Amino acid sequence: MRVAGKIALVTGAARGIGRGIAEKLGLEGADLAIVDLSAEALADTVATLATAGRKVLPLGADVGDRQQADGVVAAAIEQFGRLDILVNCAGINRDAILHRMTDEQWDAVIRVDLSAVFYLTRAAAVHMRQRGSGRIINISSASWQGNVGQANYAAAKAGVIGLTKTAARELAPKGVTANAICPGFIETEMTRAMPPDAWERIAGRIPMGRVGTPADVGNVVAFLASDEAAYVTGEVINVGGGLVL
Ligand code: NAD
């Protein structure tokens, strides 16, 4: 029970990595506000967390919208009285080779994968600074270093790292840590949407010989959220079975 009694907010928790993170934090003792585009989509995650005996607040919101992003942080604090852990996991991709990428593809990914992280981190920072404690964990990607067809996604995910490191510097004196996790290749609906030959090519390059699971990422989030990680801030942790070193 590494986060017993803590209050966490996880975005993108309806499926995939976000769901894995929410369920792990619940198993480790946190009560949670969980966010996705619709509250109905969160039903399965709510059921798992309720079975584990956790209090859960499901919230439907588009976190790329500033008012809705501010709203979910406010709703979590109103429901539970405080917020200890923020995990920004909601994300999308709109891949295209650079010279064919449209403005719409660029804007959509920057909005959800970067601006939403800023909105939620800012809102949480106001609260966590006042309380003198807190954990911010942002899900970036191994693609932040550049990936063919992902100029928008790589730019957003690199931006998340700059944002996280700045938050770490600014918030360290206030007892708040901020870290980023870069998943490598994790089996979710996002990656299963790839053409099968691309899937096999990437999976075949993973030194550990298997594709990652949402639980692999959830385990690292649980550590960063725990008291054991109190002296860890501004770090970027790859969770990729050696895919990117
Ligand atoms: P996924 O598509 O399976 O799940 C993403 C979730 O985010 C969905 O439930 C979706 O509805 C939600 N979401 C999307 N836009 C939203 C918005 N505007 N507001 C609220 N919720 C929104 O994806 P995943 O593979 O689980 O990825 C989760 C995160 O991990 C993303 O940030 C992704 O970039 C990152 N990531 C994934 C991998 C991977 O291999 N799967 C690798 C590196 C990084």
Side-chain angles (χ1 to χ4, degrees):
M1 288 294 217
R2 285 193 284 184
V3 289
K6 304 280 189 194
I7 306 300
L9 188 159
V10 181
T11 70
R15 67 185 201 198
I17 296 173
R19 181 175 176 185
I21 291 168
E23 291 180 354
K24 177 65 178 173
L25 290 176
L27 277 176
E28 294 283 353
D31 292 327
L32 293 107
I34 54 174
V35 184
D36 212 290
L37 285 167
S38 78
E40 295 74 44
L42 290 159
D44 290 345
T45 316
V46 170
T48 311
L49 289 166
T51 303
R54 302 274 69 86
K55 293 192 190 107
V56 196
L57 175 66
L59 296 165
D62 172 359
V63 292
D65 177 273
R66 181 179 54 76
Q67 285 187 339
Q68 293 183 52
D70 286 347
V72 296
V73 173
I77 294 168
E78 190 182 328
Q79 173 79 16
F80 294 110
R82 64 179 200 283
L83 179 63
D84 301 302
I85 303 158
L86 168 67
V87 185
N88 282 299
C89 187
I92 60 170
N93 55 6
R94 297 284 184 272
D95 294 358
I97 208 81
L98 177 58
H99 63 275
R100 289 199 209 112
M101 185 171 284
T102 65
D103 292 353
E104 290 72 25
Q105 289 171 320
W106 173 266
D107 290 341
V109 171
I110 296 298
R111 178 178 179 278
V112 179
D113 292 12
L114 181 56
S115 296
V117 180
F118 165 63
Y119 299 145
L120 281 141
T121 300
R122 179 176 60 182
V126 170
H127 172 73
M128 290 174 176
R129 284 174 63 96
Q130 285 168 355
R131 295 197 66 238
S133 67
R135 297 296 160 83
I136 297 165
I137 300 159
N138 293 328
I139 305 303
S140 178
S141 167
S143 294
W144 78 270
Q145 301 193 62
N147 198 22
V148 172
Q150 294 197 310
N152 48 1
Y153 187 78
K157 294 298 189 179
V160 165
I161 290 175
L163 168 61
T164 305
K165 285 181 177 278
T166 301
R169 287 185 192 276
E170 292 185 3
L171 297 172
K174 299 292 181 186
V176 179
T177 69
N179 293 284
I181 292 175
C182 293
F185 195 58
I186 310 295
E187 176 147 16
T188 66
E189 291 189 38
M190 181 184 276
T191 48
R192 275 297 177 196
M194 296 170 66
D197 59 327
W199 166 281
E200 292 301 337
R201 190 165 22 85
I202 299 171
R205 292 205 330 255
I206 300 170
M208 282 197 171
R210 70 168 176 88
V211 173
T213 65
D216 288 320
V217 182
N219 289 338
V220 180
V221 170
F223 165 68
L224 289 172
S226 74
D227 290 344
E228 292 163 341
Y231 204 57
V232 179
T233 197
E235 293 298 331
V236 180
I237 301 180
N238 287 314
V239 180
L243 181 63
V244 176
L245 295 175

